[in-house]
Amino acid sequence: MTIIPEPTVRPFTEFVPGPSRGPVAAAAPRPRPQPAAPSAPTADDIYVEPGLTPLGAREANRSAVADLLRSAGVSFFTVRGTSDHGTVLAVAEEDREAVLGALFHGMGQYPGHLSVIDEQAVAPAGPRSSRDPRAWRGVRTAAAVQASWYRTDAGRHLVMGHEYGCAVEFWAWRGTHLVAPRANRVTWAVSGEGPNVLGAARLFSRLVSDHTPEHEAPALPTRPEFLVDCVEDIAFPVDAVYTWVDGNDPAWQQRKAAAKGEVYHAESASDARFISRDELRYSVRSLHMFAPWIRTIHIVTDDQVPPWLREDVPGIQVVSHREIFRDAADLPTFNSHSIESQLHHIEGLSEHFLYFNDDMFIGRPVTPHAFFTPSGKARYFPSRNRIPQGPVVDTDTPVDAACKNNRLLLRERFGRVITQPMEHIPYALRRSVMEEAEQAFPQAWERTAASRFRAMTDLSTTSSLGLYYAALTGRAQPATMPFTYLQLAVPDLADRLQRLLDGRSQDSFCLNDAFSTPEDIEAQQELLDGFLNAYFPVPSPYER
């Protein structure tokens, strides 16, 4: 985690470039290609950005470079580059001197970072401070240069660096066409005639969808050749669904006390299963920061609303159990298996959706491709564990019992045996598959829905059965993802949380709690508060 001294960090709230001072001074001789160590950012090179997100850093860098090009009178268009994090602008080779002059002047006023992109280099050059003369070596012959201004949040927990920068490519004229100096996702050449057109933001980054707010990802000027839907594009909407309960709510506690049903396993009765540690707030923050392509977030509750949640903001809604259960007699229920069996009944839910427990988080920017293929297949993530052999027995955990029940149904229908449960990674589901599976196993499905507490006869519909049903009918495929599963009742919890925070290298992680004692909870909460606020310091638009 980068530590930035507070007194020397300057606000970066506006970038208004002045006129270009002309060409860059004569560049030093081109060095022999070698791996270049990037210069470490100093406090003066990092700017405080309230409400910082990766998408916001990317757009701010693009906007700053675009303003510099306009100030120099340089025409440009946006390229569908190969990176989802940054942006690529194309200019004609003949404008190189004006471009370099504008960048040199602008980055003199507001120091940033620059890297030279040389397709012939043995290793890519790392970014250097724009105040370092070495940053400008080779700019006269480079295929492209990338500019960025490092940003941090007000608490200095995040640093958005050069990967969110804006590259400027120098395209050469070949007759009436402009030819790219390096590969992009669509074409090597575009017509140099005619005006630019606006292209949807999702064309230029897979971190963006048509449902990402326009102020976060505006349409960009480009060439008509880039306005195509490629075979690898995902254009269908993806929703997110959470199940959430506030176990401290007296009204909910009263309903639970009055409910009839026997608890067969100690894990089922553990109060830790119903504790709200405010994880949902931070999980939603993780979507806002790292999965801004999500269309709508659905929070399924037992007539509860998180106290921090704004319900008047588009893109999120609270769904009552009463709205999705086919049989009202099954309510109230305190069984996650029961609730999960009804999620595909949410009105308006997209065909493709991700199901999150409230203790699951996205850990860094991910694209929808991590969970779905462009053709619409879901990806699932088998665990390294194995489902125990044999029928359900009294010593089985609720998870193992449900997996065994899933296995029996799938073997009877498809003649295949499932052997692995799923990792605690957000479950990529298709609504039509869940509806079909419910119709295929109506009695077992109804029995699960009617179980007020976890029972030996439960199915785990979202975390196993629905995924394997999709796989066995050709609508899902196995995949892998960098992730961490952390059980909170471990003695070295502080060290594990710190490693997770320092690395920020996981696409997703789960902070699971099933066995904590009342004595554990207070100490855990202090650690969690510090960790979650440091990992996800920026409030989402859905918070009061």
Side-chain angles (χ1 to χ4, degrees):
M1 183 167 58
T2 304
I3 305 299
I4 305 163
E6 182 171 355
T8 56
V9 180
R10 300 177 301 173
F12 190 79
T13 57
E14 190 174 44
F15 190 94
V16 183
S20 171
R21 291 180 178 174
V24 179
R30 183 180 180 184
R32 182 177 180 180
Q34 57 183 343
S39 55
T42 66
D44 288 336
D45 293 338
I46 304 180
Y47 304 90
V48 172
E49 185 84 20
L52 180 68
T53 65
L55 211 57
R58 171 180 175 267
E59 172 55 20
N61 285 326
R62 184 208 64 81
S63 180
V65 172
D67 284 347
L68 286 173
L69 297 181
R70 292 189 190 99
S71 74
V74 174
S75 298
F76 62 90
F77 58 85
T78 314
V79 176
R80 293 182 66 173
T82 57
S83 169
D84 294 310
H85 294 73
T87 316
V88 180
L89 303 180
V91 301
E93 173 64 43
E94 64 198 45
D95 290 325
R96 181 186 291 265
E97 289 298 312
V99 169
L100 296 178
L103 289 174
F104 188 75
H105 173 66
M107 301 186 85
Q109 288 184 312
Y110 295 90
H113 284 76
L114 192 81
S115 63
V116 172
I117 299 171
D118 181 356
E119 294 293 283
Q120 306 303 317
V122 174
R128 293 188 181 277
S129 170
S130 60
R131 296 179 296 176
D132 185 342
R134 293 175 295 176
W136 300 91
R137 294 175 181 172
V139 295
R140 292 183 179 274
T141 57
V145 295
Q146 181 158 320
S148 68
W149 290 265
Y150 287 20
R151 292 169 169 80
T152 184
D153 65 288
R156 296 163 185 81
H157 299 293
L158 303 171
V159 174
M160 301 297 171
H162 200 63
E163 66 268 33
Y164 301 103
C166 180
V168 180
E169 292 182 345
F170 301 100
W171 288 48
W173 284 100
R174 295 291 185 271
T176 60
H177 282 70
L178 285 166
V179 178
R182 58 177 182 159
N184 56 62
R185 282 186 172 143
V186 178
T187 182
W188 279 100
V190 301
S191 173
E193 301 174 352
N196 284 341
V197 295
L198 283 179
R202 69 172 176 85
L203 298 176
F204 307 102
S205 173
R206 298 181 303 170
L207 295 171
V208 176
S209 74
D210 288 332
H211 310 286
T212 306
E214 186 177 0
H215 69 273
E216 297 180 17
L220 300 178
T222 189
R223 304 302 297 168
E225 288 86 348
F226 289 113
L227 301 183
V228 295
D229 286 325
C230 297
V231 68
E232 69 273 14
D233 292 344
I234 288 181
F236 51 79
V238 180
D239 286 356
V241 176
Y242 286 94
T243 50
W244 177 80
V245 64
D246 180 4
N248 298 319
D249 175 13
W252 180 88
Q253 290 175 344
Q254 186 175 7
R255 290 195 295 273
K256 180 170 179 279
K260 295 179 179 179
E262 294 184 358
V263 178
Y264 83 96
H265 193 281
E267 183 181 340
S268 303
S270 172
D271 287 337
R273 299 194 60 81
F274 304 107
I275 292 172
S276 174
R277 300 176 181 270
D278 222 14
E279 298 104 318
L280 178 64
R281 179 202 299 260
Y282 295 97
S283 186
V284 170
R285 285 187 184 186
S286 79
L287 293 187
H288 171 62
M289 289 185 63
F290 301 138
W293 39 269
I294 291 290
R295 185 189 68 165
T296 303
I297 300 171
H298 309 268
I299 301 176
V300 177
T301 78
D302 185 7
D303 290 322
Q304 297 176 311
V305 177
W308 52 266
L309 181 67
R310 290 184 58 185
E311 296 184 81
D312 60 335
V313 179
I316 197 165
Q317 68 168 350
V318 176
V319 180
S320 169
H321 293 172
R322 293 178 290 103
E323 299 176 49
I324 63 175
F325 269 75
R326 293 278 173 85
D327 189 345
D330 294 338
L331 296 175
T333 184
F334 308 92
N335 178 3
S336 60
H337 288 154
S338 168
I339 300 164
E340 290 165 357
S341 74
Q342 306 297 299
L343 296 181
H344 54 288
H345 300 157
I346 295 173
E347 184 177 356
L349 180 66
S350 60
E351 164 67 8
H352 300 82
F353 68 98
L354 300 180
Y355 169 52
F356 287 75
N357 301 134
D358 63 1
D359 57 4
M360 292 177 175
F361 306 85
I362 300 297
R364 60 181 178 179
V366 297
T367 71
H369 299 70
F371 299 99
F372 297 99
T373 70
S375 64
K377 286 186 178 182
R379 300 187 194 274
Y380 62 93
F381 305 94
S383 169
R384 289 169 293 180
N385 295 327
R386 293 298 182 268
I387 301 169
Q389 295 295 313
V392 174
V393 294
D394 290 343
T395 54
D396 282 333
T397 66
V399 171
D400 286 342
C403 283
K404 287 182 175 182
N405 293 328
N406 300 340
R407 179 175 63 196
L408 178 62
L409 292 180
L410 293 170
R411 182 174 59 191
E412 290 176 348
R413 185 170 185 86
F414 297 103
R416 300 293 185 91
V417 174
I418 63 172
T419 60
Q420 296 168 270
M422 299 295 169
E423 299 287 13
H424 285 69
I425 293 173
Y427 307 112
L429 299 165
R430 292 188 56 167
R431 189 178 189 180
S432 61
V433 172
M434 299 300 290
E435 291 171 347
E436 186 178 317
E438 181 180 15
Q439 294 170 5
F441 311 115
Q443 293 180 339
W445 212 281
E446 290 171 5
R447 189 164 50 242
T448 299
S451 298
R452 297 190 191 278
F453 297 91
R454 288 193 170 187
M456 300 285 259
T457 55
D458 280 355
L459 305 176
S460 47
T461 57
T462 55
S463 62
S464 177
L465 180 64
L467 296 168
Y468 279 121
Y469 191 97
L472 291 167
T473 56
R475 288 169 284 182
Q477 63 185 45
T480 59
M481 173 183 288
F483 88 104
T484 290
Y485 171 80
L486 180 53
Q487 176 57 251
L488 296 182
V490 294
D492 59 342
L493 178 62
D495 290 340
R496 296 193 188 197
L497 289 174
Q498 190 62 50
R499 286 197 296 270
L500 191 57
L501 178 63
D502 291 343
R504 292 183 179 269
S505 59
Q506 304 299 288
D507 285 353
S508 70
F509 59 89
C510 178
L511 305 178
N512 190 255
D513 188 9
F515 297 103
S516 295
T517 66
E519 293 75 23
D520 297 330
I521 291 171
E522 184 175 351
Q524 290 174 359
Q525 192 63 50
E526 184 176 354
L527 290 174
L528 277 180
D529 286 345
F531 169 79
L532 292 171
N533 276 295
Y535 208 110
F536 308 109
V538 178
S540 75
Y542 312 115
E543 298 180 36
R544 296 184 185 276

